[in-house]
Amino acid sequence: MTSASDTPETTVTDTLPSVTVFVCTSCGKTSNDPNGPASRGEILLDRLTKAAKPHAHIKTQAVDCFAVCTREVTIAFSAPGKWSYVIGDTDPARDIDDILTAATAVANAPHGVPKLKERPAFFRTGVISRIPPRD
Amino acid sequence: MTSASDTPETTVTDTLPSVTVFVCTSCGKTSNDPNGPASRGEILLDRLTKAAKPHAHIKTQAVDCFAVCTREVTIAFSAPGKWSYVIGDTDPARDIDDILTAATAVANAPHGVPKLKERPAFFRTGVISRIPPRD
């Protein structure tokens, strides 16, 4: 029998396949003043980055512009060797948990293409395009 | 002095950075009969692949669907370590040469983002989205 005190301290290792969530920080910008209010994209990135901390396989990254612009906030999922999805109309007040759920679904899907039932609402309605891995 | 006969036979090597042009072969499909007429996407892929033969740095590849569907024929440029572009409304009767020109412009651009003046008409009007490289 092993008591709790026999167990060395460990860091929980996240062994899920990795995935990057890109977030457009130009989306919803209302001011060009660097000290002005944060854009909706910046707010989403900030909230998502904090919420993603316990999920070591999910990396977040700011993007200047996806060249979409009419469907803010635009984000993208990208994982090694898998299809990438560009998705618009995400909402920092509504979609943070669902974006994390979807990121994990992309990471776990063999080709990065989650089944429809694994796609939260924002993913089912927001897809702008997808692109295959190069190899 | 070296005469022509001293020069060993060589194959012209294309040293430009590589780029893949993905083409949606579902775009413009009018029949589900495998012996039915080719889709506009299949026609574009066929013409582009033949036209790209002298350009060893340009690879073409069929894609089932970019999830765009309203702007056929959809294609994408993808190169190692560079931004990828998804572009709609391309025309197999009009754009083959321009797609090759644009593919080389993407391959040559430091981040895969060609200057505006290097973008043929289809590229200036057709961008659906772009996505950064993961690393």
Side-chain angles (χ1 to χ4, degrees):
Chain A
M1 188 176 164
T2 305
S3 72
S5 61
D6 292 334
T7 308
E9 272 192 36
T10 55
T11 303
V12 174
T13 305
D14 186 334
T15 55
L16 291 170
S18 68
V19 57
T20 299
V21 187
F22 293 113
V23 178
C24 176
T25 50
S26 303
C27 272
K29 185 182 270 190
T30 56
S31 165
N32 286 322
D33 177 357
N35 298 317
S39 69
R40 288 185 78 227
E42 287 170 328
I43 293 168
L44 193 148
L45 176 64
D46 183 58
R47 292 182 184 176
L48 187 68
T49 302
K50 285 175 182 156
K53 275 203 175 145
H55 309 277
H57 67 293
I58 302 176
K59 181 183 162 194
T60 60
Q61 190 173 322
V63 164
D64 262 351
C65 182
F66 289 106
V68 175
C69 300
T70 55
R71 298 182 59 184
E72 52 115 317
V73 176
T74 303
I75 69 170
F77 297 112
S78 177
K82 296 183 175 176
W83 285 73
S84 298
Y85 280 85
V86 179
I87 298 175
D89 309 322
T90 69
D91 185 336
R94 182 192 64 195
D95 293 326
I96 300 298
D97 287 347
D98 280 352
I99 292 170
L100 295 178
T101 299
T104 297
V106 167
N108 280 333
H111 304 287
V113 181
K115 293 176 182 168
L116 288 183
K117 66 181 179 185
E118 292 170 346
R119 302 184 187 191
F122 84 93
F123 198 134
R124 288 198 298 273
T125 59
V127 172
I128 292 164
S129 67
R130 61 179 195 166
I131 186 167
R134 285 192 336 98
D135 296 310
Chain B
M1 188 178 161
T2 305
S3 72
S5 61
D6 292 334
T7 310
E9 273 192 35
T10 55
T11 304
V12 174
T13 305
D14 186 333
T15 55
L16 290 170
S18 68
V19 59
T20 299
V21 187
F22 293 113
V23 178
C24 176
T25 51
S26 303
C27 273
K29 185 181 270 191
T30 56
S31 165
N32 286 323
D33 177 357
N35 298 315
S39 68
R40 290 185 75 227
E42 287 170 329
I43 293 168
L44 192 148
L45 176 64
D46 183 59
R47 292 182 184 175
L48 187 68
T49 302
K50 285 174 182 156
K53 277 203 174 145
H55 309 277
H57 67 294
I58 302 176
K59 181 182 163 195
T60 60
Q61 190 173 322
V63 164
D64 262 351
C65 181
F66 288 106
V68 175
C69 300
T70 54
R71 297 182 59 183
E72 52 116 314
V73 177
T74 303
I75 68 170
F77 297 112
S78 178
K82 295 183 175 175
W83 284 74
S84 299
Y85 280 86
V86 179
I87 299 175
D89 309 322
T90 70
D91 185 335
R94 182 192 64 196
D95 294 326
I96 300 298
D97 288 347
D98 280 352
I99 292 170
L100 294 177
T101 300
T104 298
V106 167
N108 280 334
H111 303 289
V113 181
K115 293 176 182 168
L116 288 182
K117 66 181 180 186
E118 292 169 347
R119 303 184 187 192
F122 85 91
F123 199 134
R124 288 198 297 274
T125 59
V127 172
I128 291 164
S129 66
R130 61 178 195 166
I131 186 168
R134 284 192 337 99
D135 297 310

